[in-house]
Amino acid sequence: MAVKNLQVLRSKMKHAFNEAQFKTVHTKEIKDLQSAFGEYSLRDFMIEFISCLKIPLSYAKKLVSVERTLDFAAKFCVSFVPENEEEEDEDNATVDPLLNGIFEFIFKNHGVSSEAVRFRVCQFANRLLESLPPSAGLDMNLWNQLHKCMSERLKDKRPAVRAQAIMALRRLQDPCDKNCSVIQAMKFHLANDPSAEVRLSVLSTIATTNDTVMDVVMRTRDVSETVRRHAYEFLAEKVDVRILSIQHRERLLQAGLNDRSDVVKRFVKTKFLAKWLKSCNEDILSLLSILDVTNWTKPGLLELVLKCLCSKFEIEDLISYTELDKEAKTVPLASLTPERALFWRYTAQYLSEMDEGNSTEMMERILPNLSPMCDYIRSFFSSSYGNVQKDDSFSLNLERKFILKQLVEATKLYDYSDETGRSNLKDLLIDLLLSNVVEVDLVPAIVPILEGVIPKTVDFIQLISDTVEKIHCPCVSQKRPLPEWEVRERKIKKAKIRVEINEEIEKQENAIIQKDFLLAQTIKETLRNLESQLESLDLESFVETDTIKEQNDPVTLIKCLEIIVSMLQSSKIKAISPTLTNLREDFVMKCITVTDNYTVHSKSLEALALFCHLDKELAKTNFVFFFCVISRTTDEDLELGVSALKAIFDILCLFGIESFDVADMPEGFDDKPTEKERRSRIMDDVIDSVSTDDLESDSSGIAASHKEKKNVNLMTILTSLLDHKHSKMRSVAVEGLCKLLFLSKIFSPELLSRLVLMWYTPTSGADDENYFHQLMGTFFPSYAMHCEGAQESLASASLIALRTLMDAPDTSPLATVDLLSVSSFFLDLTRPGVSRAEPEVNMHNHMGIAFCQEVFESSDALALQTVLLRSLSMMDIALDDPLQKQQYTALHNKLTKFLSDKVCLRYLKKFYAKIQQNERLSDEMERSKDSDCLESKETDDLEATKETDDLERSKEQFERVVPDADEENVITLGPQRVSILLRMQRPLVDAPDVTVIGPSDESDDDFLETAKADITDKTKNSINGSPKSLEDFDVESPQFSRKRKFTKR
C-alpha cells in the first residue's frame, strides 16, 4: 500500500480534535480516526496524535473544552480494546499497541517540571483507565509501571496532582488483598494528607473493605467540612449500618448531629439517618433495636435522633408505631420492649412540643391520666422486679432499668394539676426510692420529678431527709423466742384451760341427759372459745418486735448519697437549712470518716462540695479538707483525688480565690475534738505533698519556692498540679484553672504562658493529649473574645513565653518549640477586633513598644531578637496617638543604631515601612473626610441659596395677596459626616504550611518545549471562542489551585 500523504493525516487529526471540544458525544470523530489508523503506520499515527494531544495537556485552566478533548482522546485510545474480553491468565493479557504507546508517553512525561502538565497527564491516565471496559486486563509490566508512576505522583507537591494520581489508581486496587499497596497508600493519604482535595479524592475512589471503613469513620472528624460530609455520604451509600459496631454508630451520630457545620448537620439529619432507616425497612423500632439504645451513654443524643426520625412521619403513623391499647392508652406489658418504651415516651414529648395550642389534646391521644399511669408503672414494676434473681443476665437487668426509667420520665409530661394523681405519683416515687431492687442509676431521674410534685422547698427537703433515713435505717420486724417465765405462765394457763374444758364437757353431758338442749348449745360455744385459746397458746412460741437497723453496706450508702446529691443540685435550694445541716453532720460526714469504700468516699466528697456551694463559711471550713484528700491520693484511690480537686475548683469559681487561705484555716473543719492537732497534721500533709521541686516550674516561672510553710500560696499549689503524675489529675487541674481564668477569678499572665507552652510542648499530654488539645483549642479563642482584661493578660504572657523558650536548655522539650509560631499565636489572639468585651482596645500598639524594648534587653540572644522583629512586622498597629508615633520613631532610630545583624535590620525596615504606610493611609482618610465636608458644605450652601430664592419668590407672590404677612426664617441642614472603618478579617490561628516532596527538575524532557514550539507561531484565541482548528489552543497556564493552609489534625 502506498504511503499516504502525512498532511492529510494531520488535517484529519486536527479536525477531529477541533470538533471534539464542542461535543460530549464523539462517535463520528472516533470512527474517522479509526479509519485513518488503518491507513497509516503506527509510528506516523502516534506522532501526529501525540502532537495534538500535547496541547490540551498543557492547559492549567479547568475549561470545559479541554475536558471534552481529553475525554475524546481517552475514548479513542481504548476503542480498539474488545468490550467483552475473556478473562485469561494475567501473564498472557494483551494490550492494544496504540494504548501501549499512549501509556509509554504517560510514563515518560508524568514527572515534568510543569505543574499543569503533571496534573493533566495524571488526569488523562485516569480517563484512560476509566474508559477501559470492566473486563479489560493490563499486562503485568504495564500495571507495575503505571503503579510506580502514579505512586511517585502521590508525593507531588501540588495537591491537585496528588488528587488526580489517586483517581488514576482507582482501578488498580485489589480489595481481596489485605496488603494491597494501592489501598495502603490511599489509607495513608486519607489520614495524613494536608490537602482536603486529596482526601476527598481518596473518599471517592477507595474500595470498601472492613479495614477501609474504619479509616473513613475517622474522617467524620476531619477539619474540612466537605471531607466530613463526603465521609458520611460514603458510609451512607456503601456501608450497611450492621457492619459498624454499636460504639461507632453512637459516635457517628454524636459527631454528625452536633457538627459545627450546618452542611454536615443537615446531611446527617436528612440523608444519613434516612439511609439507615431505609435499611431497616422504614421501621423506627427496628433501627432503635440496631442502635442498642439501652447501652448508650448520652440520653440526649437519643432524643436528637428520634426528633430527626419523627419529623419524617405523619402523626397518625407515629401513634400507630407505639401499638397502644385504645382504651387504656398504654402499651401492653407483654410487648413493652426498651425500644417501644423509648419511642412511646418520646412520641408523647414530640407531640406535646409540636403544637403548643393543641398539646393537651395530643397528650390525651397517647398517654392516660396520671393516676392510671402510676398504676401502670406499679404493674410493670411488680411484674418485672417482683421475681428478680441473682443469676439474671446483665442485659435483662439493663432492659428492665431502661424501661422503668422511660416510664418514670414520661410522668414529667403531665402538668400535675390533678391532686389525686399528684399524690399517687409522689407515693410511687417514694416507693421506688425505698425499694431495694431499684438501682442508683434511676435516682437522678426520680428526684427531679419528685421536686416538681412537691411545690414547697421545705417539704421537699424534709421528704428527702426522711427517705434517706428510711433507706439507711429501716425498721425491721424480728421474731425472738419467749423467756422462761413467760413459758411457765403459758403452761399454767394451758392447764387451767384444759380443766375448764373438762368441766364444761361434764356440764354438756348432764344437759343432754336432762334434755336441756339450749344449755348444751351454749356450752358448746364456750368449749369452742376455750379450744381456740388453747391453740393460740400453742402457736405463739415466738414474739415479733420492730427494731431499727442501720445499713452501712456500700450499695445502700451510695444510693443515699446519690439522693442527696440529686436534691442539692436543685435550683430551688439556695441556703443551708437545719434539715440540711443535720443531714450533712449525721450522714455525709459519717460516710467520709467511717467507711473505707473508695466509691462511697468519692460520692460523699461530691455531696460535701455541694453543701459548701450553699454557704461560704462552710466552704472555708472544709476547704483544707479537700487538699488533705489530694495529698493522700494514691493509685488505688485516684477517684478520690479527682473528686476533691473538682470540688476545690468549683468552690473557687463560685466564691473567688481571695476568700481562701490555706496557711490560716479556721478551726473545726469536721466538728471533731482535737481540732488543733488534726489541722496541723493536715497542713503538714498538704505542704509535704507539694514539694519544692513541684512548685518550681522552668516553663512558666509562676511557681516560686517558699521558705516558710505558713506562706504557701494557693495558686502555687494549684499550678503545681499541672505536673501531677496522673493524667486525670492534670486534666482536672487544667480545666479548673481555665475556668478560673475565664470567669476572671484570677489574672495571671504567667499561668497563660505556661498553658500555651504545655500546648506546644511535644511531650505534653501522653494519655490525655486529645482532651488537653481540645480544651486548649476551645479555651484560648473564647478567653480572648469574651473576657475583660484578657488582651492585656495575653500580651504580657507572650513575652514571658518567649523568654522561657529562649532560656530553655537543649535537653528540655521546650527547646524544640518554634518561637515564631508561639509569637504568631499570641498576635492572632490579640489582634484588633478579636475581643468582643473590649472592641476598642488595640493591644498591638502596646505590644510593639514592649517587643522593641525586649530587643534591647536580649542583646545576647540573636534568635529571640529575630523573632521579636519579625513579629513586629506581623502586628496590626494603628497609631492615632501622636505620643505613640514619637515613641515608635525614637525606638526605630535607636534600634537602627543598636542592631548589626542584616536580617534583623531588614525586618526592622519592613516594620517601620508598614507604620509609615498606615500613617499615610490615616492622612489620606483625614483629607478625604475634610474634602467630603467641604463638598458637602458647598452643596448645602447652593441648596440653601436656591431655597432662599424660592422662598423670596413665593414670599413676593404671597405678599401680593396678603401684604402684612411676616417673613419666616429659613433653616438649612449641615452636612453629614461619614466615617470609614477598615477591618481586616483574618483567621484566629494560622496553621503551618505542609511541604510534600515534589518532582525533580531532572525529570523534565523536551515535552513542554515541543508543545510550546508547536503553538508559538499559531494564532492565540480562547478555547471557548470557537477556534477554527486545534492550533488556536492557548498555551497560557495560570495557576489552577491556590495555596491553602490547613489546621493540624
Side-chain angles (χ1 to χ4, degrees):
M1 183 179 63
V3 179
K4 297 282 186 179
N5 190 356
L6 294 179
Q7 195 67 28
V8 178
L9 176 60
R10 186 177 294 112
S11 177
K12 288 183 178 181
M13 197 75 68
K14 291 180 180 180
H15 177 73
F17 272 82
N18 182 57
E19 292 296 325
Q21 59 183 314
F22 305 108
K23 299 179 181 179
T24 56
V25 180
H26 310 105
T27 307
K28 181 178 180 301
E29 289 74 15
I30 291 175
K31 288 182 179 180
D32 292 342
L33 290 186
Q34 283 178 342
S35 61
F37 180 76
E39 300 175 358
Y40 296 91
S41 64
L42 178 63
R43 179 178 178 277
D44 294 339
F45 189 88
M46 286 292 297
I47 291 174
E48 295 299 330
F49 184 83
I50 291 177
S51 64
C52 293
L53 182 63
K54 286 179 179 179
I55 298 175
L57 291 179
S58 305
Y59 267 84
K61 282 185 178 180
K62 294 183 179 181
L63 302 175
V64 177
S65 51
V66 175
E67 305 294 331
R68 292 173 180 172
T69 306
L70 293 177
D71 283 338
F72 158 71
K75 291 176 182 177
F76 171 73
C77 292
V78 302
S79 61
F80 296 99
V81 179
E83 293 185 2
N84 297 321
E85 183 181 354
E86 296 182 0
E87 295 184 3
E88 301 177 354
D89 189 7
E90 293 182 357
D91 296 334
N92 299 326
T94 58
V95 178
D96 182 76
L98 175 62
L99 186 61
N100 192 16
I102 293 298
F103 274 119
E104 291 296 334
F105 168 75
I106 291 174
F107 300 153
K108 182 180 178 182
N109 299 284
H110 75 90
V112 297
S113 60
S114 173
E115 299 171 358
V117 175
R118 296 200 307 272
F119 169 76
R120 291 298 182 184
V121 166
C122 293
Q123 185 186 36
F124 188 61
N126 174 38
R127 306 241 170 142
L128 284 174
L129 294 175
E130 290 298 321
S131 301
L132 284 172
S135 59
L138 288 178
D139 179 71
M140 182 57 67
N141 295 329
L142 186 62
W143 190 97
N144 291 332
Q145 201 168 358
L146 181 61
H147 175 250
K148 178 182 178 182
C149 295
M150 292 300 104
S151 297
E152 290 180 6
R153 294 281 58 78
L154 288 180
K155 302 176 184 178
D156 199 281
K157 63 182 179 181
R158 301 305 300 173
V161 179
R162 299 199 301 274
Q164 286 301 321
I166 290 288
M167 301 292 288
L169 289 170
R170 179 206 301 263
R171 296 192 64 175
L172 302 184
Q173 301 176 85
D174 185 7
C176 298
D177 185 8
K178 293 184 178 180
N179 299 320
C180 176
S181 58
V182 178
I183 295 180
Q184 296 299 325
M186 287 187 175
K187 290 172 61 177
F188 173 80
H189 283 273
L190 181 62
N192 302 304
D193 200 289
S195 172
E197 181 183 0
V198 179
R199 300 196 297 274
L200 281 175
S201 298
V202 176
L203 285 175
S204 62
T205 57
I206 193 169
T208 306
T209 64
N210 291 333
D211 294 334
T212 58
V213 166
M214 294 300 103
D215 292 273
V216 176
V217 169
M218 294 299 296
R219 286 305 96 205
T220 57
R221 306 301 297 270
D222 197 275
V223 295
S224 171
E225 67 176 41
T226 309
V227 176
R228 295 198 301 273
R229 183 194 175 280
H230 279 76
Y232 277 106
E233 185 176 0
F234 180 98
L235 295 172
E237 298 291 340
K238 302 180 181 181
V239 180
D240 189 84
V241 61
R242 297 169 183 84
I243 297 177
L244 301 170
S245 65
I246 296 173
Q247 185 179 15
H248 284 132
R249 297 170 199 170
E250 182 179 0
R251 286 183 178 179
L252 286 174
L253 294 176
Q254 170 70 20
L257 295 176
N258 296 287
D259 198 281
R260 61 180 179 272
S261 171
D262 294 335
V263 176
V264 179
K265 194 184 302 182
R266 191 183 311 113
F267 179 83
V268 174
K269 288 181 179 179
T270 57
K271 302 293 181 62
F272 186 73
L273 274 174
K275 286 289 183 180
W276 281 10
L277 186 62
K278 186 177 179 179
S279 65
C280 299
N281 299 322
E282 302 293 334
D283 188 357
I284 296 181
L285 296 179
S286 298
L287 179 58
L288 292 177
S289 178
I290 291 175
L291 295 178
D292 194 10
V293 295
T294 56
N295 286 314
W296 278 36
T297 57
K298 298 180 180 179
L301 180 60
L302 281 174
E303 296 190 0
L304 193 56
V305 172
L306 285 170
K307 183 177 181 180
C308 299
L309 295 175
C310 290
S311 62
K312 302 179 184 298
F313 293 90
E314 299 293 336
I315 296 178
E316 297 298 332
D317 295 335
L318 294 176
I319 296 177
S320 64
Y321 278 135
T322 57
E323 298 182 3
L324 297 176
D325 186 349
K326 294 183 179 180
E327 296 182 358
K329 299 179 183 178
T330 57
V331 179
L333 294 178
S335 59
L336 187 61
T337 61
E339 294 79 21
R340 197 175 300 280
L342 171 65
F343 184 70
W344 179 30
R345 194 268 305 170
Y346 184 77
T347 303
Q349 178 181 337
Y350 178 76
L351 295 179
S352 64
E353 296 173 352
M354 198 168 115
D355 187 3
E356 295 182 358
N358 203 20
S359 60
T360 305
E361 182 180 352
M362 293 292 184
M363 286 278 294
E364 292 176 354
R365 295 186 59 185
I366 199 169
L367 284 179
N369 293 331
L370 186 55
S371 294
M373 186 65 179
C374 294
D375 296 337
Y376 178 79
I377 297 175
R378 286 186 183 276
S379 300
F380 169 78
F381 182 75
S382 59
S383 62
S384 299
Y385 286 86
N387 298 320
V388 176
Q389 303 294 332
K390 292 183 178 179
D391 56 349
D392 287 345
S393 63
F394 175 77
S395 60
L396 180 60
N397 292 329
L398 196 62
E399 289 179 1
R400 285 194 297 238
K401 182 171 63 176
F402 185 84
I403 294 174
L404 182 59
K405 183 178 180 181
Q406 297 303 318
L407 295 178
V408 170
E409 288 184 347
T411 59
K412 293 192 296 186
L413 302 175
Y414 294 90
D415 57 358
Y416 306 138
S417 59
D418 181 12
E419 185 176 353
T420 304
R422 189 170 64 248
S423 176
N424 292 334
L425 179 59
K426 184 185 73 172
D427 295 340
L428 170 65
L429 297 177
I430 294 298
D431 292 342
L432 291 177
L433 290 176
L434 294 176
S435 175
N436 294 328
V437 295
V438 174
E439 300 181 12
V440 183
D441 299 342
L442 291 174
V443 171
I446 296 175
V447 174
I449 302 176
L450 195 60
E451 178 189 359
V453 172
I454 303 174
K456 293 184 178 181
T457 306
V458 178
D459 298 340
F460 170 64
I461 295 174
Q462 186 62 46
L463 180 63
I464 292 295
S465 178
D466 296 341
T467 304
V468 170
E469 185 177 358
K470 290 179 182 179
I471 297 174
H472 184 226
C473 302
C475 184
V476 181
S477 297
Q478 294 181 345
K479 291 183 177 181
R480 59 179 181 82
L482 295 174
E484 295 182 0
W485 62 271
E486 192 170 349
V487 172
R488 288 195 300 269
E489 287 184 359
R490 290 199 175 194
K491 289 181 179 179
I492 295 173
K493 287 182 180 180
K494 289 168 65 177
K496 290 181 179 179
I497 293 174
R498 288 192 183 98
V499 171
E500 292 180 1
I501 290 174
N502 292 331
E503 292 177 352
E504 293 295 328
I505 291 174
E506 292 178 359
K507 291 180 181 179
Q508 185 181 25
E509 292 176 352
N510 294 331
I512 293 173
I513 293 173
Q514 297 176 3
K515 297 183 179 182
D516 189 356
F517 297 105
L518 184 61
L519 178 62
Q521 183 67 26
T522 304
I523 295 172
K524 184 179 180 180
E525 294 294 332
T526 305
L527 286 173
R528 190 178 298 168
N529 293 333
L530 291 173
E531 288 176 355
S532 62
Q533 291 178 11
L534 184 62
E535 290 178 0
S536 63
L537 290 174
D538 291 336
L539 295 176
E540 293 178 359
S541 58
F542 294 92
V543 63
E544 291 187 359
T545 58
D546 294 336
T547 59
I548 296 177
K549 184 178 180 180
E550 191 175 285
Q551 303 287 340
N552 288 323
D553 58 290
V555 176
T556 303
L557 294 179
I558 291 173
K559 186 175 182 179
C560 295
L561 288 169
E562 186 64 41
I563 294 174
I564 295 173
V565 169
S566 301
M567 174 194 65
L568 293 174
Q569 290 175 347
S570 170
S571 58
K572 294 182 179 180
I573 302 177
K574 299 180 180 179
I576 292 288
S577 64
T579 306
L580 292 177
T581 302
N582 294 334
L583 197 61
R584 175 182 62 85
E585 295 176 353
D586 298 339
F587 183 74
V588 175
M589 297 305 298
K590 185 177 180 181
C591 291
I592 295 175
T593 56
V594 174
T595 59
D596 297 330
N597 187 275
Y598 295 142
T599 308
V600 176
H601 276 169
S602 179
K603 185 60 67 173
S604 42
L605 286 176
E606 183 180 355
L608 180 61
L610 290 173
F611 277 111
C612 293
H613 292 176
L614 301 176
D615 186 67
K616 187 175 182 180
E617 295 301 323
L618 182 62
K620 288 183 178 181
T621 305
N622 293 278
F623 191 70
V624 72
F625 173 73
F626 294 115
F627 277 104
C628 175
V629 174
I630 295 174
S631 67
R632 296 178 177 178
T633 300
T634 61
D635 296 340
E636 298 178 355
D637 58 347
L638 181 60
E639 293 299 326
L640 292 180
V642 172
S643 300
L645 189 56
K646 288 181 179 179
I648 289 172
F649 281 115
D650 288 343
I651 292 173
L652 293 177
C653 290
L654 186 62
F655 298 112
I657 199 170
E658 66 280 352
S659 303
F660 303 94
D661 185 7
V662 297
D664 187 18
M665 292 296 296
E667 296 183 3
F669 74 93
D670 59 354
D671 299 331
K672 297 286 182 181
T674 66
E675 293 300 322
K676 255 187 174 180
E677 298 177 1
R678 190 167 191 178
R679 187 175 66 254
S680 177
R681 189 166 63 252
I682 291 172
M683 201 59 232
D684 291 340
D685 291 337
V686 173
I687 297 173
D688 293 339
S689 64
V690 186
S691 62
T692 306
D693 296 336
D694 293 333
L695 294 178
E696 295 178 354
S697 176
D698 294 336
S699 61
S700 65
I702 63 172
S705 176
H706 299 279
K707 297 181 180 179
E708 298 179 1
K709 294 181 180 181
K710 63 179 182 180
N711 295 326
V712 175
N713 183 268
L714 179 57
M715 277 303 301
T716 305
I717 299 176
L718 294 177
T719 52
S720 68
L721 295 172
L722 296 176
D723 298 324
H724 202 277
K725 62 179 180 179
H726 293 292
S727 61
K728 287 187 177 181
M729 295 291 288
R730 290 197 304 269
S731 299
V732 175
V734 170
E735 183 178 351
L737 291 172
C738 289
K739 288 179 180 179
L740 292 175
L741 287 168
F742 190 80
L743 296 174
S744 300
K745 299 297 182 180
I746 57 175
F747 180 85
S748 177
E750 294 83 2
L751 177 59
L752 285 172
S753 67
R754 181 172 184 183
L755 291 175
V756 170
L757 294 181
M758 287 178 64
W759 193 12
Y760 272 85
T761 304
T763 57
S764 65
D767 299 330
D768 54 343
E769 182 177 0
N770 293 333
Y771 176 77
F772 176 75
H773 286 182
Q774 183 180 6
L775 178 61
M776 292 294 97
T778 305
F779 164 71
F780 279 109
S782 302
Y783 178 70
M785 282 190 289
H786 302 293
C787 297
E788 293 186 3
Q791 295 293 306
E792 180 182 355
S793 184
L794 289 168
S796 303
S798 61
L799 285 177
I800 298 174
L802 292 176
R803 292 193 199 103
T804 304
L805 289 175
M806 200 62 207
D807 297 337
D810 295 337
T811 57
S812 173
L814 296 175
T816 61
V817 178
D818 184 17
L819 276 75
L820 183 60
S821 178
V822 175
S823 178
S824 301
F825 175 72
F826 279 107
L827 292 180
D828 288 328
L829 291 179
T830 54
R831 289 193 186 279
V834 171
S835 176
R836 298 176 184 176
E838 301 169 317
E840 71 284 351
V841 175
N842 186 353
M843 193 54 60
H844 282 193
N845 292 346
H846 306 284
M847 291 178 67
I849 297 176
F851 276 36
C852 291
Q853 294 174 350
E854 185 66 22
V855 172
F856 289 109
E857 297 177 3
S858 58
S859 58
D860 56 342
L862 181 60
L864 181 58
Q865 287 182 340
T866 305
V867 171
L868 291 172
L869 292 170
R870 189 173 180 182
S871 301
L872 287 173
S873 61
M874 298 164 58
M875 293 181 181
D876 296 335
I877 296 177
L879 300 179
D880 298 331
D881 188 3
L883 180 60
Q884 285 187 342
K885 293 180 181 179
Q886 295 177 4
Q887 289 178 343
Y888 275 103
T889 303
L891 286 172
H892 170 261
N893 297 333
K894 291 181 180 179
L895 286 173
T896 304
K897 299 177 181 179
F898 177 76
L899 297 173
S900 58
D901 185 71
K902 293 182 179 180
V903 177
C904 294
L905 289 172
R906 184 169 68 249
Y907 285 136
L908 178 62
K909 183 178 179 181
K910 182 179 178 180
F911 164 64
Y912 193 66
K914 186 176 181 180
I915 291 180
Q916 291 180 333
Q917 182 181 0
N918 292 339
E919 291 181 0
R920 287 195 299 270
L921 181 60
S922 178
D923 295 339
E924 290 176 1
M925 291 175 60
E926 291 295 333
R927 288 195 297 269
S928 177
K929 290 180 182 180
D930 295 340
S931 176
D932 292 342
C933 292
L934 182 59
E935 292 177 0
S936 179
K937 183 177 181 180
E938 293 176 354
T939 303
D940 291 344
D941 292 342
L942 291 175
E943 292 178 356
T945 304
K946 184 178 179 181
E947 291 177 0
T948 304
D949 296 341
D950 293 341
L951 183 61
E952 290 293 336
R953 285 193 297 271
S954 62
K955 180 181 178 182
E956 292 177 358
Q957 295 175 0
F958 183 73
E959 285 177 349
R960 295 173 186 172
V961 181
V962 187
D964 296 334
D966 296 332
E967 182 177 354
E968 297 181 0
N969 295 327
V970 179
I971 303 176
T972 59
L973 297 177
Q976 297 180 356
R977 305 180 61 87
V978 180
S979 61
I980 302 175
L981 180 62
L982 300 176
R983 295 186 61 185
M984 297 180 62
Q985 297 182 355
R986 291 193 175 188
L988 188 61
V989 180
D990 290 339
D993 293 331
V994 180
T995 304
V996 184
I997 300 175
S1000 172
D1001 292 339
E1002 296 178 358
S1003 63
D1004 191 8
D1005 57 2
D1006 57 347
F1007 171 82
L1008 187 59
E1009 288 147 0
T1010 306
K1012 289 184 177 180
D1014 291 340
I1015 304 173
T1016 302
D1017 299 332
K1018 315 293 182 182
T1019 304
K1020 295 183 180 180
N1021 293 322
S1022 171
I1023 197 167
N1024 293 324
S1026 301
K1028 296 180 180 179
S1029 64
L1030 185 66
E1031 288 84 348
D1032 295 335
F1033 273 95
D1034 191 357
V1035 78
E1036 230 177 321
S1037 300
Q1039 188 178 6
F1040 64 89
S1041 63
R1042 293 183 295 176
K1043 184 177 181 181
R1044 298 185 63 185
K1045 295 183 178 181
F1046 294 89
T1047 56
K1048 185 177 180 182
R1049 296 185 303 280

